[in-house]
């Protein structure tokens, strides 16, 4: 090994980090795809895009980060989402330097919404807490539907015509996020804005993962219509419903015995103030 260094990922580093992640973490995403995903579509003053590990100028490790500012209880709160983490095997002794470099940054709440199994105990030692990710699996069935009773649309004009100002901010910040899919469900004077992503389990791309639901009550009433829409329009046969996001378990679903871990670290925020937006989950279509 030569001269090993940890450095922030700047704009000029994005392409070589993207190439590294394509070759060493997830080859289903092209190097260009990784580079595009690293740049979040929302406007934010971020100190970096994460940290990289170099050996004589060659990227041998990277830990991506996505930054955002969110209004919570009348205050602007700053978030750092810990995202993809990959280090070549021969440099694993230096891997923790990337995480500690991120966590040392003052003034941020930290989230890790997709930690791998071996990362979870590391996070626990560094005082990250677990979110309740109890998840139900729902088959998307072709239920009969009365014409005109409910409306579901992914059309931008329809979405923008019904959303409130805070919802519009979320939609406009995420409409170009590479992994986020948007739709609105309408019943009479009510609407529910939903953000979901295509998800994998056991390498099978057969699932929709719900990331955001603006109106859990209406979602619960329209969940069958929602599943029908995913099956017929998106060819997705199953939906993963995290109960903290959707507000409760639908009758037509079954609770999974285990669910994927999600974690956070904050001196002031509570678990119910943490969501999946402005994160790797909306940006990276892994």
């Amino acid at each position: 090994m030569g001269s090993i260094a940890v450095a922030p990922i700047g704009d000029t580093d994005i392409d070589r980090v993207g190439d590294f992640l394509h070759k060493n973490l997830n080859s289903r995403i092209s190097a260009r795809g990784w580079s595009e995903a690293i740049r979040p579509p929302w406007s934010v003053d971020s100190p970096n895009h994460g940290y990289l590990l170099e050996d004589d100028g060659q990227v041998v490790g990277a830990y991506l980060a996505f930054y955002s500012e969110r209004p919570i209880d009348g205050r602007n709160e700053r978030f750092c989402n810990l995202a993809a983490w990959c280090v070549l095997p021969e440099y694993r002794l230096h891997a923790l330097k990337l995480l500690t470099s991120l966590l040392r940054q003052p003034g941020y709440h930290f989230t890790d919404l997709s930690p791998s199994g071996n990362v979870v105990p590391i996070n626990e030692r560094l005082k990250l807490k677990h979110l309740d990710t109890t998840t139900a699996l729902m088959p998307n069935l072709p239920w009969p539907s009365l014409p005109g009773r409910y409306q579901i649309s992914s059309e931008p004009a329809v979405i923008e015509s019904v959303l409130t100002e805070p919802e519009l901010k979320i939609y406009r910040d995420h409409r170009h996020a590479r992994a986020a899919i948007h739709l609105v469900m309408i019943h009479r004077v009510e609407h529910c804005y939903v953000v979901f992503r295509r998800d994998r389990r056991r390498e099978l791309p057969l699932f929709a993962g719900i990331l955001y639901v603006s109106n859990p009550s209406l979602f619960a009433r329209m969940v069958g219509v929602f599943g029908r829409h995913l099956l017929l329009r998106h060819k997705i046969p199953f939906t993963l419903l995290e109960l903290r996001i959707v507000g409760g378990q639908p009758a037509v679903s079954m609770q999974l015995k285990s669910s994927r871990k999600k974690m956070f670290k904050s001196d002031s925020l509570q678990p119910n103030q943490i969501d999946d937006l402005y994160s790797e989950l909306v940006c990276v279509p892994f």
Side-chain angles (χ1 to χ4, degrees):
M1 296 184 184
S3 177
I4 300 172
V6 174
I9 300 172
D11 289 342
T12 58
D13 302 308
I14 287 177
D15 287 343
R16 62 195 189 112
V17 171
D19 183 65
F20 173 80
L21 294 174
H22 165 69
K23 292 176 179 176
N24 298 286
L25 182 61
N26 189 332
S27 61
R28 286 194 302 268
I29 304 175
S30 67
R32 180 178 178 181
W34 273 110
S35 297
E36 291 174 350
I38 291 170
R39 297 180 174 92
W42 54 86
S43 178
V44 62
D45 184 15
S46 59
N48 50 64
H49 299 284
Y51 278 81
L52 59 83
L53 190 66
E54 291 181 299
D55 186 358
D56 280 341
Q58 298 298 311
V59 178
V60 296
Y63 204 149
L64 301 185
F66 293 92
Y67 296 88
S68 62
E69 290 191 11
R70 310 283 306 278
I72 297 178
D73 291 342
R75 305 184 308 273
N76 276 338
E77 304 285 358
R78 298 196 301 167
F79 286 82
C80 173
N81 170 240
L82 309 173
W85 187 9
C86 179
V87 178
L88 296 181
E90 58 268 36
Y91 295 90
R92 293 281 165 81
L93 289 175
H94 301 273
L96 197 59
K97 296 176 183 177
L98 298 173
L99 176 55
T100 55
S101 295
L102 287 164
L103 294 178
R104 283 197 204 103
Q105 298 178 113
Y108 288 99
H109 311 286
F110 296 92
T111 63
D112 190 345
L113 304 176
S114 54
S116 59
N118 58 343
V119 173
V120 170
I122 297 174
N123 284 350
E124 290 173 338
R125 288 197 294 272
L126 293 171
K127 308 302 182 184
L128 274 77
K129 301 175 184 177
H130 288 270
L131 292 168
D132 180 359
T133 57
T134 303
T135 301
L137 176 67
M138 180 182 75
N140 298 328
L141 302 173
W143 301 105
S145 178
L146 294 175
R149 184 176 181 185
Y150 300 107
Q151 180 184 358
I152 297 184
S153 179
S154 299
E155 291 298 321
V158 176
I159 293 174
E160 295 203 22
S161 71
V162 300
L163 297 189
T164 64
E165 282 301 319
E167 293 166 354
L168 270 174
K169 175 69 164 60
I170 292 171
Y171 172 68
R172 289 168 178 165
D173 282 347
H174 290 81
R175 60 185 166 185
H176 299 304
R178 298 187 74 244
I181 306 172
H182 309 265
L183 61 80
V184 65
M185 305 192 296
I186 304 170
H187 177 53
R188 296 178 181 172
V189 297
E190 285 189 273
H191 73 270
C192 178
Y193 170 43
V194 180
V195 183
F196 69 96
R197 59 173 286 133
R198 291 183 178 271
D199 218 334
R200 290 175 176 267
R201 289 294 189 274
R202 301 183 185 275
E203 294 301 309
L204 299 174
L206 304 176
F207 305 87
I210 307 298
L211 303 177
Y212 177 76
V213 169
S214 71
N215 185 341
S217 175
L218 181 58
F219 183 85
R221 282 179 274 141
M222 292 186 63
V223 70
V225 181
F226 175 77
R228 180 179 188 272
H229 177 85
L230 293 190
L231 178 67
L232 299 182
R233 297 295 180 88
H234 296 274
K235 311 302 180 186
I236 302 175
F238 301 100
T239 298
L240 294 163
L241 301 149
E242 207 170 301
L243 303 193
R244 73 183 178 96
I245 294 174
V246 302
Q249 183 177 342
V252 293
S253 66
M254 60 175 290
Q255 188 170 310
L256 299 181
K257 292 181 179 179
S258 62
S259 55
R260 290 183 173 176
K261 307 296 185 185
K262 295 181 180 180
M263 308 178 77
F264 79 105
K265 185 175 186 178
S266 172
D267 293 330
S268 59
L269 297 186
Q270 300 302 310
N272 63 357
Q273 295 174 305
I274 307 295
D275 62 29
D276 290 354
L277 298 174
Y278 299 89
S279 73
E280 176 186 45
L281 296 180
V282 299
C283 290
V284 184
F286 46 77

